[in-house]
Amino acid sequence: MLIAGFPAGAWGTNCYVVAPAAGEECVIIDPGHQAAQGVEETLRKHRLKPVAVVLTHGHIDHVASVVPVCGAHDVPAWIHPEDRYMMSDPERALGRSIGMPLMGELTIGEPDDVRELTDGAGLKLAGLDFTVAHAPGHTKGSVTFRMPEQADIPPVFFSGDLLFAGSIGRTDLPGGSHAEMLESLARVCLPLDDSTVVLSGHGPQTTIGRERATNPYLREVAAGLAADPTAAPRRGM
């Protein structure tokens, strides 16, 4: 399996391109602010053909390049229905202006083909299997994507802004909820095998085992306690 990731734009949001191998079809995850060029370079480098864009949530730092990427390759975008409005109204999603100079660089709106994600859905795209888990807390429509273990490759978990190396996503923006975040961490993350590779929306990759042992939020959730909102700095928009 081929997974190529790179941080993009003003918020350093990780965009991932996933394929069975070089020269095959692929899926693009979270093409955010200024990600389009990086996507095209990755596609050329590995000779890949996109079949879909899938989104962990609707914040502008994760969806800003959806329209140009989907338009260039005539592919659909998948998003949870509770976050769909954010593609057309990013400022309402943040509860504040994201800045006129930055707004001038964005293509606001939906691509031509938008499809909605549901909890527990299995997506088979580009010959790859993704299991969707609805994981509210950062936003109402946040989701994660899990790929099963394959041969010598451990399971892979695209966590969006739910779980980071050493931290979790912020919950103080519209639609955020610390209580829902804790519930999502317990329900979605804790059951995963320790070997699961975590590829998050910001920062370096990690594993569930490492986070179970060191992440203050996941440790407290695992212990059945109310996690301290100040336990570690949180990322995401």
Side-chain angles (χ1 to χ4, degrees):
M1 185 167 61
L2 185 158
I3 301 177
F6 59 92
W11 297 279
T13 304
N14 291 327
C15 176
Y16 300 100
V17 179
V18 189
E24 299 195 25
E25 293 182 333
C26 70
V27 175
I28 300 164
I29 301 176
D30 287 356
H33 181 232
Q34 297 180 339
Q37 181 177 344
V39 167
E40 296 305 322
E41 291 172 354
T42 301
L43 298 179
R44 286 193 298 270
K45 178 180 179 180
H46 298 288
R47 298 172 285 109
L48 299 173
K49 175 179 171 54
V51 299
V53 167
V54 298
L55 302 167
T56 62
H57 63 289
H59 281 160
I60 195 67
D61 60 325
H62 289 253
V63 307
S65 295
V66 169
V67 170
V69 169
C70 287
H73 300 282
D74 192 25
V75 298
W78 293 79
I79 191 168
H80 192 277
E82 291 200 66
D83 275 14
R84 182 170 177 171
Y85 78 92
M86 297 185 187
M87 290 192 287
S88 299
D89 194 355
E91 292 188 353
R92 181 161 69 94
L94 300 177
R96 57 181 171 81
S97 171
I98 59 178
M100 290 308 297
L102 184 58
M103 285 290 289
E105 301 174 12
L106 305 179
T107 304
I108 302 301
E110 294 189 355
D112 292 337
D113 187 354
V114 179
R115 305 180 189 185
E116 295 186 346
L117 298 165
T118 57
D119 184 44
L123 298 180
K124 192 169 186 66
L125 301 168
L128 301 167
D129 292 313
F130 298 87
T131 300
V132 180
H134 184 210
H138 182 60
T139 68
K140 291 295 185 186
S142 289
V143 301
T144 65
F145 303 103
R146 178 171 51 85
M147 301 180 68
E149 182 177 1
Q150 304 175 47
D152 296 329
I153 302 173
V156 177
F157 179 60
F158 295 95
S159 64
D161 285 6
L162 172 64
L163 180 68
F164 302 126
S167 190
I168 60 174
R170 61 189 293 181
T171 58
D172 59 332
L173 294 173
S177 166
H178 187 67
E180 288 185 333
M181 176 69 80
L182 299 184
E183 191 278 333
S184 292
L185 290 169
R187 175 177 49 83
V188 176
C189 297
L190 287 182
L192 299 178
D193 190 85
D194 281 352
S195 67
T196 302
V197 175
V198 180
L199 299 177
S200 61
H202 302 267
Q205 78 174 50
T206 184
T207 66
I208 289 292
R210 183 178 300 137
E211 297 313 299
R212 201 189 308 277
T214 64
N215 187 307
Y217 299 98
L218 207 58
R219 289 180 66 185
E220 293 198 36
V221 169
L225 303 174
D228 178 0
T230 65
R234 288 183 275 177
R235 304 189 189 96
M237 201 166 184

